Amino acid sequence: MSAASSPALDPLRSRLIERLPKAELHLHLEGSVEPELALALARKHGKSLPGDADGVEGLRRSYVFKDFGEFVRMYLAISACLTEADDFAAIVVDLARKLAAENVRHAEVTFTPMTHVNRGVAGDTLLAGLAEGRARARAEHGVELAWVFDIVRHRFAEGAPTLALALEGREVGVIGLGFAGPESPEWPTAPYAPLFARARAEGLRSLPHAGEMDGPESVWNALRELGADRIGHGVRCLADPALVEHLRERQIPLEVCPTSNLGIGLFPALAEHPLPRLLAAGLAVSLASDDPPMFATSINEEYRRCAAAFAWDAEQIAALARNSVLHSFMPEAAKVRLLAEQAAVLAELHT
Ligand SMILES: [Zn+2]
């Protein structure tokens, strides 16, 4: 699962990507832990991680996955090193540091609370760690964070406690209920409809993964049964013209994570990724990084790789960054400010 390094871009487009303030809408907290911090947390708690006998370089090599099973094993091994509120705060602050370095001002970050509750971590500990990390992210790095608590779809019994924690977490920035895990008809969406209806009635957004490992029917289910406000991935929608039309008419945003898609083998190469066709179909698309260190990427790297692969000009790059803001759930006043800042950067660099 190694990712190709970014092809060279001309200085204007490189600089524009670096300078544009942006939002990141599809990013998993537990999938964002850099090897250095993962190793420090493992040592703190006397745990081991795949490849860590050779130190941080060995661990970094183990971050290059051969298959989805290896990815999940690393994800869970890292999760097992998170025990105290301080551990959760530490990974949040480190994530904010990396986001700030790429000029991300607002991120909607997915977190899977039951992974940790199942290991014996109290819900209050999770919320305290996220609250502390979020406050420090704002104070130390100028990054606003919001949380999406997600349900793992083959663990039905965890749905209700996830929603309960999400509702409790609204005061520390939870804005949505997510839905991830094995996307397959074997684990249907319909049983979760009442939970998502309640979440929406309580002001949370419905933010399921769909159209990644399964096709258009899965996206329809996310829309009809979960009332999806945005779709995580959605890249397989093109197989159904009626679905494309539905998504286009309603401008339901897709959070597209190209390198992650390649990493799990959905498409053989970026040149064959459907992103240009999604854009040509008039769909609402933003770029995101999913689990950046585990797919050897970052949000700016996604912009660079796509700009190079699809020959995007400055306007097209700026349009994607604009979408990230427009499709976010940040307050309206913050959106207006960020859009104005983007326009100023574009005007300064592209006149
Ligand atoms: Zn994801």
Side-chain angles (χ1 to χ4, degrees), residues 142-200:
V143 177
E144 286 294 331
L145 297 176
W147 311 115
V148 178
F149 279 11
D150 75 335
I151 294 171
V152 182
R153 67 191 285 159
H154 65 302
R155 296 174 172 272
F156 181 73
E158 296 177 4
T162 302
L163 174 59
L165 276 169
L167 293 174
E168 199 184 330
R170 282 176 295 185
E171 61 190 45
V172 300
V174 177
I175 56 149
L177 190 62
F179 192 62
E183 186 190 355
S184 146
E186 197 184 338
W187 311 104
T189 323
Y192 293 93
L195 282 177
F196 277 82
R198 173 142 178 255
R200 299 186 82 214

Side-chain angles (χ1 to χ4, degrees), residues 183 210-220 236-237 239 243:
E183 186 190 355
E212 178 193 22
M213 295 179 208
D214 201 1
E217 199 53 35
S218 173
V219 180
W220 280 122
R236 293 177 60 179
C237 68
L243 175 60

